[in-house]
Amino acid sequence: MHEHDVLVIGGGGAGLRAAIAAHEEGADVAIVTKLHPVRSHTGAAEGGINAALREGDDWELHAYDTMKGSDYLGDAPAIETLAQDSPEETIQLENWGMPFSREDDGRVSQRPFGGLSFARTTYAGAETGHHMLHTMYEQVVKRGIQVYDEWYVSNLAVTDHDDPADRECHGVVAYDIKTGQVEGFKARNGVILATGGTGQVYDHTTNAVANTGDGAAMAYRAGVPLEDMEFVQFHPTTLPSTGVLISEGVRGEGGILYNSEGERFMFEHGYANNDGELASRDVVSRAELTEVNAGRGVEDEYVYLDMRHLGEERITDRLENILHLARDFEGVNGLEEPMPVKPGQHYEMGGIETDENGETLIDGLYAAGECACVSVHGSNRLGGNALPELIVFGARAGRHAAGADLGEAEITKGKTGEIEEEDGLDTPVEPGAVEASDDVAADGDEDAVADGGAAVVEPDETVRRTIERERTRIERLMEKDDGIQHAELRDELQQSMTENVNVFRNEENLKDALEDIREVREAYQDVYVNDPSRTFNTDLIHTIETRNLIDLAEAITLGALARDEFRGAHWRQEHQERKDDEWLKHTMLSWNDGSPELWYKPVILEGQDKTYEPKERSY
Amino acid sequence: MSTQLPEEDRGRTESAEHEAESSVEQEGASKGDQRRADRDAKRQQSVSGAPADVEGESFRLKVFRYDPEVEGKMEPRFDDFAVPREKGMTVLDALIYARDRYDTTLTFRHSCRQAVCGSDALFINGRQRLGCQTQISDLEEPVRVEPLPHQDVVKDLVVDMEHFYDQMHAVEPFFQPDEESEGDLEEYRQTRENREKIKMSTRCIWCGACMSSCNIAAGDNQYLGPAAINKAYRFAMDEREGENMKEHRMNVMDQEHGVWRCQTQFSCTNVCPKDIPLTEHIQELKREAVKQNLKFW
C-alpha cells in the first residue's frame, strides 16, 4: 500500500495546481492519473483566463458578469472567491514562466470574450490551456512531486457509515495500466478529485476520449451529492465533423457568424442586439440551431464563422492555432474562407457538490475543477471562467487538504439548512442500480454490511477492503468470456444523449433518454472484457469508464426532467420562462446506495457587500 | 497474418425482450420505441454483412501486434483490418474503428483527437506522425501502422515513454528567474519580440516523434535529444530568466551528450507535428555555447 498525506486524482490544471499548493503547505503529496499529466485535456483549452488585472476593471465587475452569466444560479461566495483570487493566481502562472501573449509595454495581453463587461480574458495565443498545463507540470517536476502516471483510479476508499455525512475517505484504489496490478493508496489527510469533464456522455463533444467523469461518478456512488448536472454547456463553435473546438477568441477578436443566406443572424434575427456574436454561449448555441431548424443552416447542419476580415497578421499573432485546427480537421483555410461551426458539448457546469474550499460532504474528500460544482457557473459558464476555476479552486483544495486554515466556508454541504425534497418525479423507468444492493460489475463485492458483517470504519481496513472489492470486480470482468462489449453500450448511450438531452429539450425526449439509459444499464450487467492481457489493457479501463458514463448520463437527464423551467443552458420546450419564485435552487442528486434521490438547496445570492438581484438576462 | 471481418453475431439480447422485462406499462409505441426498433434493424443489417457498396469503399489497415503475455501475440506480427473509407477519416479514426468493431484487444494511446495531447505519435507508412492529425486520404495504401521506432514496445502500438520523460526532466525544464517578481500582481515584463522568439519552442506536446526519428538518439542513449534541447532553448532564450541562468543553461547544453551530438540531419524537424524548427534551435544553442566559451579567453 502506498501512503501519502495528500492524494490528487487527475493531472490536469486543477490537479496540478492542487498538488503544488499542498506541497507548498509542506504536505507529502502525490498525483495519481490515468494519463501522463501533459496529456490532460486542459491542454486543449484555447481562449484564456478571466482575471481583473487592469485599470478600470475590478473583481466586483468580474463577479457581476459571472453571476449574470450563470442566470442567477451561481452561489455568490463561490463567484466572489473566483473573482478575488483569479488575478493573483493568473500572475502566479506568469511568474512560473507561462508564455502569455504580450502588450507593447511587456505586460500580459487581455481580450474581449462573451458576456464580459471588460476585456479581461488573459491569453497565450489560442492555446492558453496548453501553456497553463505545461507550465504547471514544469513546477511539479521542479518540486519533485511524485506522479503515478497511467494509474487508473477505479474506486475511493470510503468508510461504511450509514449516513454519507458521517463517512470518511481514506484513500483510493488504482489499477496500474502498464502491469495490471491493483494497489491501494492511503491518504493521511485527504483525497482531491480533479478528474475533469464528462464529455464522453455525448457523441459530438470538444472533450477528449479520456473525459469520462470518473471522479464525479465515484464520489456520487460513495455518497456525495451531484449538483446541477442538467446544466451542460454546448459551445457554439465546434467543427462539425469532429467536435474540435474553435475558440471563442475568434469572436472575441471580431469574428462574425453568418447563416447560409449571408445574414449576420445574431443581430439581424434579434438574438442579441447589443453583444451579437459575443453574447453568452447558451444564447449563441440556441441561435445557431434555431437558424438551422429554420432552414437557414448550411447543409442543414451548421453555420459559418468568418474571421477573414481580421487580416493575416492579427490572426497569426493571436489565433494561429485556429488556422491549424481548421486546416487539419476540416480542410478549411481560415484566412481565405469562413469556417463551418456548430454547437458541441463542451463543459459540465454541474458536478461534485463542494464548498469554496473544495471540501465535499465526505470528510477527507475534496474536488476541484470541472468535476466539481462550487457553484461558480450556475446554469451557464462564461468563456474564460474555466481556467481560473482550475487554478483558484485547485489551489484552495490543495491548501485546505494540507491543513491550511482558509476560514469557515459559507456554502453548506449535504442536507443541512433549508433543503427541499423532490416530491415524486414521474420517470418512465426506475433510475439507479439494477439490484437494490450495489451491482457487482461496478462495485466488486456484495456489501459486507448487507451480509450482516460489521461496518468498516478504520482507515487501513477501509483501504484494504476497497482493494479486495476492486480486485474481485476486475477479475470478474476479465474472467467472463462472453456477453456484451462496452463499446456498443457506450455508443448507444452517446447517441441517445446527443439526440434527446441536447441544447433543446422536451419531456418526451428526456423520458426516452431515461429508458435508453436503463436499457444500457441493464445490458451492462452482462458486460465482459475481451482482452485477457494484464499489460496495458485499455479494454478493461474503457469498460469501467462506461459504467461511470451511465451514472452521469442518468444524473444529467433526471435533473433535466425535474427542472421545468428555462434557465441558462437548460432550455425546455414546454417551459419557456425562468421561474425565479420556484427554481432559484440547485438540483441535488444523491445516489442513496443505488436508489437515486432528488432534492434541492437554495442558491446563495448574498455576497460580501451586496445581494445580487435576479434580472432579465439580455445581451 | 490474420484478416478481420465483422463478426456474424454480436450476441446482443433483442431490446424487445428488455421491453418485456421492464416493469413499466407502455401505451402504444412511443417515438423512443420506434427509434429503438430502427436502431435494432440497422444493427441486424450491419451484422449480417456490410452492404455491398461499403465493400468497395474500404481500405486496408495493417497494424503491428505484440503482447508479451498473451499466447498467440508473443511473436510480433501484423494484422489486417478492412476499414470503410469515410471523408475526413484520420489514422486514429481508423484504429478506433478497427478496435471497436473487430478486435477490442487492439491497444494504442489516444485522448484529445486534436493534436495537442501528444498521445498518439505512431510510425505510419514509415514516418513518425500523430494518428489524429494524419488523413487516410494523404496516405498510400495499405496504411501501415507501427509503434515508434527506437523505443521499447509495451504492447501493440504502445511504447515505453520513460526514457523520453527522463531526458525531458534532465534539462531543468522549469522557469528559473534570477530575481523574484515584485509583488503578487506584478508580472515579469517580456517584449513581444522575445515572446515571438520562444513561441515555436513552447508548442512542444511531448509526443516523442522527434526523438524516435533521430539516428543519434537511437545510437546514444544519453543524448538529450531534440525535444529536451528544445525545452532548454525555450528557457535559455526567454529574457525573463536573466543572464546568470542563461549561462547555467548553456553549460547543461554544452555537455558531452548535449547539443554537440546533433549532426543536423533534420529528421526531427521533418516529423515534428507542431512544425517546431528543432534543428535550427539546436544550432542556435551551439552558437551560443561557443560564444559563451569565448568569453573566458
Side-chain angles (χ1 to χ4, degrees):
Chain A
M1 194 187 298
H2 305 271
E3 202 170 313
H4 296 276
D5 293 337
V6 176
L7 287 173
V8 178
I9 315 308
L16 296 175
R17 187 64 192 88
I20 294 166
H23 184 266
E24 282 180 336
E25 290 291 333
D28 158 30
V29 57
I31 298 168
V32 189
T33 170
K34 67 180 175 180
L35 302 174
H36 184 280
V38 302
R39 318 277 172 230
S40 308
H41 207 56
T42 299
E46 294 165 8
I49 313 169
N50 292 341
L53 295 171
R54 297 285 175 258
E55 194 73 27
D57 197 10
D58 66 43
W59 73 261
E60 286 172 314
L61 286 171
H62 183 187
Y64 175 79
D65 291 343
T66 303
M67 181 59 91
K68 178 185 170 187
S70 82
D71 219 352
Y72 305 92
L73 200 72
D75 288 322
I79 288 175
E80 295 190 342
T81 299
L82 177 91
Q84 287 165 346
D85 287 9
S86 180
E88 201 175 310
E89 283 291 338
T90 305
I91 295 301
Q92 173 68 80
L93 286 172
E94 195 284 334
N95 289 175
W96 285 334
M98 181 165 157
F100 282 100
S101 294
R102 299 283 166 166
E103 297 299 332
D104 288 335
D105 64 0
R107 302 185 79 181
V108 297
S109 289
Q110 299 194 298
R111 62 175 158 221
F113 240 52
L116 298 183
S117 55
F118 191 93
R120 72 172 69 90
T121 307
T122 322
Y123 65 95
E127 49 204 20
T128 313
H130 163 79
H131 293 307
M132 177 193 258
L133 181 73
H134 282 256
T135 300
M136 287 203 280
Y137 179 65
E138 290 158 9
Q139 292 301 307
V140 163
V141 172
K142 179 183 178 183
R143 289 165 170 75
I145 293 169
Q146 182 155 9
V147 180
Y148 298 90
D149 68 288
E150 296 189 326
W151 280 78
Y152 181 65
V153 173
S154 64
N155 220 340
L156 310 175
V158 173
T159 59
D160 267 344
H161 299 88
D162 281 344
D163 183 349
D166 297 334
R167 292 176 193 166
E168 293 163 4
C169 180
H170 292 297
V172 303
V173 172
Y175 175 91
D176 182 356
I177 299 173
K178 207 162 159 183
T179 66
Q181 295 302 307
V182 176
E183 292 191 29
F185 290 75
K186 186 181 162 194
R188 288 181 288 259
N189 296 21
V191 170
I192 301 171
L193 296 169
T195 54
T198 60
Q200 288 302 312
V201 164
Y202 289 88
D203 106 30
H204 188 86
T205 174
T206 64
N207 283 199
V209 179
N211 288 22
T212 50
D214 303 325
M218 289 186 293
Y220 173 52
R221 291 195 298 265
V224 182
L226 291 178
E227 178 174 352
D228 290 339
M229 290 296 286
E230 66 270 30
F231 296 105
V232 178
Q233 177 161 86
F234 292 84
H235 195 290
T237 59
T238 73
L239 295 175
S241 56
T242 53
V244 165
L245 171 71
I246 297 299
S247 171
E248 188 161 305
V250 174
R251 283 169 290 135
E253 298 291 350
I256 294 173
L257 290 167
Y258 293 110
N259 63 17
S260 63
E261 294 168 21
E263 295 166 307
R264 191 174 177 180
F265 58 88
M266 289 307 297
F267 289 106
E268 292 184 44
H269 289 276
Y271 297 108
N273 293 327
N274 295 319
D275 296 2
E277 284 82 5
L278 284 179
S280 67
R281 290 175 175 176
D282 53 340
V283 174
V284 182
S285 285
R286 278 191 294 270
E288 290 177 6
L289 288 179
T290 305
E291 289 299 300
V292 172
N293 292 343
R296 297 190 292 269
V298 187
E299 293 185 21
D300 225 13
E301 185 191 13
Y302 53 84
V303 295
Y304 283 128
L305 175 62
D306 194 352
M307 64 176 183
R308 293 173 295 180
H309 57 286
L310 302 179
E312 185 167 355
E313 192 184 339
R314 187 158 163 199
I315 293 172
T316 310
D317 182 35
R318 302 180 183 197
L319 298 166
E320 187 185 347
N321 187 37
I322 303 303
L323 290 176
H324 301 315
L325 294 172
R327 182 196 64 206
D328 291 347
F329 300 104
E330 206 69 45
V332 167
N333 179 349
L335 292 174
E336 291 174 8
E337 48 198 325
M339 298 174 283
V341 293
K342 76 175 201 185
Q345 192 281 346
H346 182 55
Y347 182 91
E348 170 59 74
M349 266 76 73
I352 302 163
E353 182 205 36
T354 69
D355 63 24
E356 55 276 43
N357 300 331
E359 286 199 279
T360 72
L361 179 63
I362 291 180
D363 195 32
L365 184 64
Y366 294 77
E370 190 175 350
C371 71
C373 181
V374 188
S375 161
V376 169
H377 310 301
S379 64
N380 171 65
R381 174 171 77 74
L382 292 183
N385 263 354
L387 295 182
E389 172 188 30
L390 305 183
I391 48 181
V392 167
F393 294 103
R396 293 179 77 88
R399 286 187 195 119
H400 199 282
D405 181 10
L406 303 183
E408 195 66 32
E410 290 176 62
I411 293 168
T412 59
K413 299 181 296 289
K415 296 182 173 180
T416 42
E418 297 173 57
I419 66 138
E420 188 188 325
E421 304 282 345
E422 166 64 49
D423 51 5
L425 178 68
D426 174 30
T427 58
V429 285
E430 278 299 306
V434 176
E435 304 290 330
S437 67
D438 291 346
D439 42 327
V440 171
D443 301 303
D445 220 341
E446 296 302 315
D447 196 337
V449 182
D451 300 345
V456 174
V457 294
E458 194 275 324
D460 283 4
E461 188 50 38
T462 304
V463 180
R464 264 197 298 274
R465 193 266 315 266
T466 314
I467 297 171
E468 282 314 305
R469 282 184 172 182
E470 287 306 293
R471 286 189 178 147
T472 310
R473 171 192 186 184
I474 286 167
E475 265 163 39
R476 288 192 196 197
L477 285 169
M478 301 277 286
E479 279 170 10
K480 197 165 155 32
D481 50 16
D482 62 359
I484 192 157
Q485 294 187 358
H486 86 90
E488 186 177 342
L489 298 177
R490 191 184 282 209
D491 191 45
E492 266 172 45
L493 187 74
Q494 290 174 342
Q495 288 194 30
S496 178
M497 290 298 287
T498 304
E499 192 171 324
N500 296 312
V501 197
N502 209 301
V503 173
F504 296 132
R505 300 166 174 182
N506 64 42
E507 186 173 342
E508 189 189 6
N509 286 71
L510 293 171
K511 288 185 170 175
D512 268 357
L514 284 175
E515 287 174 23
D516 290 344
I517 293 164
R518 187 70 192 176
E519 197 184 304
V520 168
R521 191 189 280 284
E522 283 171 2
Y524 188 88
Q525 298 285 297
D526 195 32
V527 81
Y528 79 107
V529 175
N530 188 29
D531 191 346
S533 181
R534 282 278 176 184
T535 303
F536 224 94
N537 193 329
T538 52
D539 195 10
L540 171 68
I541 303 299
H542 296 160
T543 301
I544 297 173
E545 287 172 346
T546 298
R547 164 62 209 263
N548 293 337
L549 292 173
I550 294 169
D551 287 342
L552 296 169
E554 186 173 84
I556 291 167
T557 312
L558 283 173
L561 185 62
R563 187 173 285 267
D564 50 12
E565 67 157 350
F566 163 28
R567 183 183 299 271
H570 177 64
W571 182 98
R572 283 284 302 265
Q573 194 177 1
E574 317 84 348
H575 306 279
Q576 285 292 292
E577 55 184 356
R578 195 177 79 192
K579 301 174 186 170
D580 286 348
D581 47 2
E582 216 183 325
W583 283 106
L584 276 173
K585 58 191 183 191
H586 298 289
T587 317
M588 310 300 296
L589 187 69
S590 298
W591 175 243
N592 202 8
D593 297 330
S595 317
E597 185 191 350
L598 269 170
W599 49 282
Y600 305 98
K601 73 173 189 185
V603 173
I604 306 173
L605 296 175
E606 293 78 31
Q608 208 170 273
D609 308 316
K610 63 165 181 281
T611 296
Y612 297 84
E613 286 298 329
K615 293 194 191 79
E616 194 55 45
R617 204 166 59 111
S618 69
Y619 286 102
Chain B
M1 180 80 72
S2 66
T3 298
Q4 312 271 335
L5 288 168
E7 289 172 39
E8 276 307 297
D9 185 10
R10 319 267 317 263
R12 175 74 202 267
T13 327
E14 288 298 294
S15 77
E17 286 177 40
H18 279 289
E19 295 294 327
E21 289 160 11
S22 155
S23 58
V24 180
E25 289 292 306
Q26 293 279 354
E27 291 190 2
S30 70
K31 260 200 327 199
D33 290 343
Q34 185 53 50
R35 201 174 50 77
R36 279 189 283 272
D38 291 349
R39 185 194 65 206
D40 290 340
K42 246 189 256 168
R43 183 177 304 140
Q44 278 307 314
Q45 192 190 2
S46 74
V47 298
S48 59
D53 59 334
V54 174
E55 287 288 333
E57 281 295 305
S58 66
F59 64 93
R60 254 194 335 150
L61 186 70
K62 287 177 80 72
V63 187
F64 177 89
R65 306 301 302 272
Y66 164 75
D67 187 329
E69 56 159 328
V70 172
E71 193 100 20
K73 278 179 81 182
M74 291 178 187
E75 281 300 311
R77 64 161 197 258
F78 280 88
D79 279 354
D80 273 24
F81 299 94
V83 179
R85 196 187 303 281
E86 279 178 28
K87 182 175 172 289
M89 190 175 227
T90 64
V91 172
L92 176 62
D93 295 333
L95 287 168
I96 291 172
Y97 185 92
R99 179 192 68 198
D100 289 354
R101 297 303 182 92
Y102 298 140
D103 181 358
T104 53
T105 72
L106 177 59
T107 303
F108 46 93
R109 287 191 184 101
H110 66 300
S111 188
C112 77
R113 311 160 297 132
Q114 57 183 83
V116 78
C117 76
S119 301
D120 68 344
L122 298 162
F123 200 54
I124 299 164
N125 282 4
R127 180 192 160 117
Q128 287 81 359
R129 319 173 204 244
L130 297 181
C132 62
Q133 202 187 24
T134 306
Q135 296 284 328
I136 295 291
S137 57
D138 293 341
L139 298 171
E140 280 189 19
E141 291 166 19
V143 172
R144 190 179 163 103
V145 187
E146 298 165 75
L148 287 179
H150 310 312
Q151 283 162 285
D152 291 343
V153 179
V154 176
K155 175 178 167 183
D156 292 352
L157 302 173
V158 175
V159 294
D160 189 331
M161 295 290 287
E162 284 312 307
H163 176 64
F164 177 84
Y165 296 143
D166 288 346
Q167 300 307 78
M168 291 303 270
H169 294 168
V171 298
E172 300 178 25
F174 38 81
F175 189 59
Q176 299 177 76
D178 284 347
E179 45 199 65
E180 289 293 305
S181 80
E182 299 189 355
D184 286 343
L185 289 175
E186 274 306 313
E187 60 258 68
Y188 296 102
R189 301 298 175 101
Q190 181 182 30
T191 61
R192 293 171 69 107
E193 293 70 29
N194 185 249
R195 201 253 170 193
E196 195 60 28
K197 181 168 182 63
I198 64 166
K199 181 175 83 176
M200 294 308 286
S201 67
T202 63
R203 296 210 168 151
C204 174
I205 54 174
W206 298 46
C207 70
C210 58
M211 192 85 165
S212 162
S213 77
C214 175
N215 285 321
I216 314 302
D220 174 5
N221 216 19
Q222 293 179 65
Y223 175 43
L224 289 170
I229 293 174
N230 174 69
K231 192 77 176 170
Y233 175 96
R234 175 256 172 279
F235 292 111
M237 295 298 163
D238 190 323
E239 66 187 13
R240 294 174 295 167
E241 275 207 338
E243 283 305 310
N244 297 341
M245 185 43 60
K246 184 166 182 180
E247 198 173 304
H248 170 68
R249 290 200 183 273
M250 293 320 305
N251 291 339
V252 175
M253 290 297 100
D254 202 13
Q255 56 167 296
E256 187 186 350
H257 298 278
V259 289
W260 300 108
R261 288 280 158 160
C262 170
Q263 297 181 4
T264 57
Q265 294 178 340
F266 284 90
S267 48
C268 56
T269 305
N270 288 336
V271 301
C272 177
K274 301 312 257 187
D275 301 322
I276 303 171
L278 294 157
T279 313
E280 252 175 72
H281 288 172
I282 301 171
Q283 300 331 296
E284 199 174 335
L285 289 175
K286 283 181 186 174
R287 290 194 292 275
E288 288 291 325
V290 170
K291 274 194 259 178
Q292 185 167 302
N293 290 336
L294 287 174
K295 278 186 200 166
F296 300 107
W297 292 3

